[in-house]
Amino acid sequence: MKLSPLVAAVLISTGSPSHAFDLQYPANNNTDNLVWTGHLSPDTDTVVSAMLAAHIYGGEATVPEKINPESEFVLSYCNAEPPRIESDYKNVQIGLVDFNQTTQLTPTIDQNAIVAVIDHHAIGGSPINTPQIVAMDIRGWGSAATILADNATKLDITLPKQLACAALGAILSDTVLFQSATTTEYDKYYAKQLADLAGINDIEDFGQQMLIAKSDLSHLSASTILTMDYKNFEYGGKKVGIGVAETLTAQQLLDRKEELLAAMRAYKKANQLDHLFFSITNTKDKKANLLWADSSDLKVLKIAFDATDLEKDMLTLEGVTSRKRQIGPAIQNAVESL
């Protein structure tokens, strides 16, 4: 059986030599010139996971782009300093958090410089391809922050109050207050542990405040909204973009549908995408309102969600809240079937 380079790296790392980055024994690592970063269009899990990794393993936390309003709220609420925004990742060691796809990798990152990956997404599409041994920790949990909280516990590292608070925010964000299909018991367990460390008595109230901060997008342009929580994928050799806006006030965005559709068509053309989709995810009623850029995208959606009689310009999917577990895989299967 032939293994992809990324899977092979995972297997090799179980017996890694002393010079490989060590996630189990951080004291073995040389962290000079080490930076941690997440995916483009950073969300709260990516931002905080970089901070957690730097605290646990050493090095510096960074983000490749400006953080979004929800992340700003979480860090402000927790009195935590945001990571440095970095665009030039040349001549440094790289630790990746919350992703493993080259389509979401900052262009200036040399894959030869990657030493570690801590993630909770599937290995598929266009994963990183490295000639060197890479330490990896990939689990199907609800957030990368949960994995890092678990690692801190196993390494007997107590997180400071501000970072525990931010980590709780990251878990609540990626699991949509435990309502997402990606939520696991690990996420709920560590959310409680982190809340205790942070002195937060009402997890639900904190989460609701986050959702409110995330929901008001009235001051932002349609093109900004499209890419605030956006990821590129490669499915069946096709370049596919999927953006998401999770909001308590979905009608605010539904009223701007024409603006969003125009922004999608322009973005698809400018970035030479084969397909582009955008979900206005109603976190209150737990449903996704999917938009598409053109007829080729509509063809994909009809197959993905068995919506052969779809004639409107929006597809509403009840009970769908997760790009990772529900929207992305369905679109991938459809694209690869064409």
Side-chain angles (χ1 to χ4, degrees):
M1 179 177 69
K2 185 177 180 180
L3 298 176
S4 73
L6 186 52
V7 174
V10 175
L11 296 177
I12 293 170
S13 68
T14 60
S16 60
S18 58
H19 64 268
F21 197 86
D22 198 329
L23 293 174
Q24 283 71 47
Y25 298 97
N28 293 340
N29 299 321
N30 176 3
T31 58
D32 294 340
N33 214 27
L34 171 67
V35 298
W36 294 90
T37 187
H39 53 74
L40 293 167
S41 299
D43 58 14
T44 302
D45 192 31
T46 269
V47 173
V48 177
S49 291
M51 297 165 63
L52 287 165
H55 181 81
I56 296 168
Y57 297 109
E60 182 182 7
T62 69
V63 288
E65 295 175 318
K66 185 178 184 297
I67 64 177
N68 65 33
E70 181 197 62
S71 301
E72 290 178 345
F73 168 80
V74 168
L75 297 183
S76 174
Y77 182 97
C78 298
N79 293 314
E81 287 294 321
R84 175 172 58 84
I85 299 174
E86 180 57 77
S87 59
D88 186 0
Y89 286 92
K90 296 185 182 73
N91 303 316
V92 293
Q93 294 187 86
I94 303 291
L96 300 183
V97 292
D98 194 34
F99 80 113
N100 63 68
Q101 298 290 304
T102 58
T103 53
Q104 299 159 29
L105 191 69
T106 305
T108 58
I109 289 180
D110 180 356
Q111 294 186 60
N112 294 323
I114 297 171
V115 298
V117 178
I118 301 172
D119 189 21
H120 67 127
H121 293 89
I123 302 171
S126 181
I128 62 167
N129 187 335
T130 66
Q132 72 281 5
I133 295 170
V134 175
M136 296 204 173
D137 190 348
I138 300 179
R139 312 180 210 176
W141 294 5
S143 79
T146 308
I147 298 170
L148 284 153
D150 181 62
N151 289 353
T153 298
K154 289 175 178 176
L155 293 168
D156 198 26
I157 295 173
T158 300
L159 301 177
K161 181 178 180 179
Q162 293 91 335
L163 189 52
C165 174
L168 171 61
I171 294 173
L172 294 177
S173 175
D174 250 31
T175 64
V176 195
L177 275 66
F178 312 127
Q179 298 302 309
S180 172
T182 62
T183 306
T184 69
E185 290 304 312
Y186 298 103
D187 303 298
K188 295 177 182 177
Y189 172 81
Y190 278 107
K192 178 62 169 64
Q193 302 304 307
L194 292 164
D196 289 344
L197 279 174
I200 294 176
N201 297 319
D202 193 334
I203 294 176
E204 177 70 20
D205 178 69
F206 179 33
Q208 287 298 326
Q209 290 189 61
M210 287 173 55
L211 285 176
I212 292 169
K214 189 177 191 176
S215 295
D216 184 11
L217 304 175
S218 59
H219 59 294
L220 299 175
S221 68
S223 57
T224 298
I225 294 168
L226 173 65
T227 57
M228 277 184 57
D229 188 354
Y230 172 87
K231 291 185 178 180
N232 282 316
F233 301 92
E234 185 176 312
Y235 298 148
K238 302 293 186 181
K239 293 170 63 179
V240 181
I242 306 176
V244 175
E246 295 173 340
T247 176
L248 290 169
T249 55
Q251 193 59 49
Q252 183 185 90
L253 292 183
L254 295 176
D255 290 341
R256 299 177 65 184
K257 184 170 59 177
E258 294 307 317
E259 287 180 63
L260 290 165
L261 289 171
M264 290 176 69
R265 289 189 286 267
Y267 189 86
K268 182 177 182 179
K269 181 179 180 180
N271 291 274
Q272 299 182 316
L273 298 176
D274 293 293
H275 300 291
L276 177 61
F277 308 95
F278 182 69
S279 174
I280 301 171
T281 302
N282 186 326
T283 53
K284 181 179 180 181
D285 296 331
K286 300 180 182 60
K287 60 184 177 183
N289 300 285
L290 277 178
L291 304 179
W292 54 92
D294 56 33
S295 59
S296 67
D297 304 334
L298 175 58
K299 182 178 180 181
V300 170
L301 286 187
K302 286 183 175 181
I303 297 171
F305 299 103
D306 193 24
T308 54
D309 59 346
L310 180 62
E311 296 181 356
K312 301 177 181 179
D313 58 1
M314 184 175 72
L315 174 61
T316 299
L317 300 170
E318 300 289 342
V320 173
T321 58
S322 173
R323 170 174 48 199
K324 182 177 76 171
R325 189 67 60 83
Q326 296 167 302
I327 297 173
I331 289 174
Q332 179 178 2
N333 290 337
V335 171
E336 292 176 349
S337 73
L338 291 172

